[in-house]
Amino acid sequence: NAGVTQTPKFQVLKTGQSMTLQCAQDMNHEYMSWYRQDPGMGLRLIHYSVGAGITDQGEVPNGYNVSRSTTEDFPLRLLSAAPSQTSVYFCASRSGTVSNQPQHFGDGTRLSIL
Amino acid sequence: AQSVTQLDSQVPVFEEAPVELRCNYSSSVSVYLFWYVQYPNQGLQLLLKYLSGSTLVKGINGFEAEFNKSQTSFHLRKPSVHISDTAEYFCASLSGSARQLTFGSGTQLTVLP
């Protein structure tokens, strides 16, 4: 069972570079989301999607773009990387529109911006 | 806005001792509560959840939590911990019409031999 798959696992970027973090799930989940995890701050929601073609902003969306062209994939784009975006990024998915269902998380992408 | 407070950032405990990880949430008419565990270099895994019904919730790996509405708490407990329980634990809430989880800042549990 693949679940939620994130690539790459590690990445180092220079300030100003752009990149896309990939997320794919094979559970046919409608809801997908991106979080960043920073020490002492828990997980903060960046963007989320309730289905293909629908995305919305979370708590900390600035500097990030998302799109949802298929149910399976939900890539996160950094347009111009900044050192403040050094973090661990997690993608998650859950089934349906019932919001109390637990989320399934990927193993994370550890991103360093120099 | 919802908020979740985990009162202890680090909890060291000896193997086979009991442990309690504390979590308080902001009050709401209806609330769903979750505990997740994160092992090193991995994503979060669901330990247990409270949606409704019995206030004592049992989860995986021998953990349990009690929903206390009057104290707005959802503390996680285990009567006897193992070295393998060393991990970071996150409390999260979902209330009312909110569609997104709100996470606490996490508690690092370290089990000592």
Side-chain angles (χ1 to χ4, degrees), chain A residues 5 8 11 15-16 29 47 68 70 72-73 108 110-111:
Chain A
T5 303
Q11 184 69 48
T15 297
H29 285 169
H47 285 285
R68 185 94 180 270
T70 67
E72 294 78 18
D73 301 299
R110 284 146 187 83
L111 183 62

Side-chain angles (χ1 to χ4, degrees), chain A residues 22-53:
Chain A
Q22 301 292 344
C23 175
Q25 52 91 9
D26 60 359
M27 298 171 282
N28 201 33
H29 285 169
E30 291 89 341
Y31 181 93
M32 297 185 73
S33 54
W34 276 102
Y35 295 87
R36 59 177 290 173
Q37 182 182 26
D38 301 294
M41 302 186 75
L43 277 75
R44 292 181 293 168
L45 183 66
I46 304 171
H47 285 285
Y48 67 97
S49 169
V50 299

Side-chain angles (χ1 to χ4, degrees), chain A:
Chain A
N1 294 333
V4 179
T5 303
Q6 291 184 238
T7 56
K9 294 189 183 303
F10 303 93
Q11 184 69 48
V12 179
L13 293 177
K14 294 181 180 178
T15 297
Q17 286 185 312
S18 62
M19 82 159 294
T20 299
L21 281 61
Q22 301 292 344
C23 175
Q25 52 91 9
D26 60 359
M27 298 171 282
N28 201 33
H29 285 169
E30 291 89 341
Y31 181 93
M32 297 185 73
S33 54
W34 276 102
Y35 295 87
R36 59 177 290 173
Q37 182 182 26
D38 301 294
M41 302 186 75
L43 277 75
R44 292 181 293 168
L45 183 66
I46 304 171
H47 285 285
Y48 67 97
S49 169
V50 299
I54 306 169
T55 64
D56 207 346
Q57 296 181 352
E59 180 185 357
V60 288
N62 292 341
Y64 307 94
N65 275 359
V66 292
S67 59
R68 185 94 180 270
S69 56
T70 67
T71 299
E72 294 78 18
D73 301 299
F74 190 45
L76 178 72
R77 280 182 286 277
L78 281 70
L79 305 174
S80 178
S84 61
Q85 294 177 304
T86 293
S87 188
V88 182
Y89 291 85
F90 288 98
C91 180
S93 73
R94 61 168 165 79
S95 63
T97 57
V98 180
S99 58
N100 62 13
Q101 291 303 303
Q103 298 198 54
H104 299 257
F105 285 83
D107 286 342
T109 295
R110 284 146 187 83
L111 183 62
S112 294
I113 315 296
L114 305 178

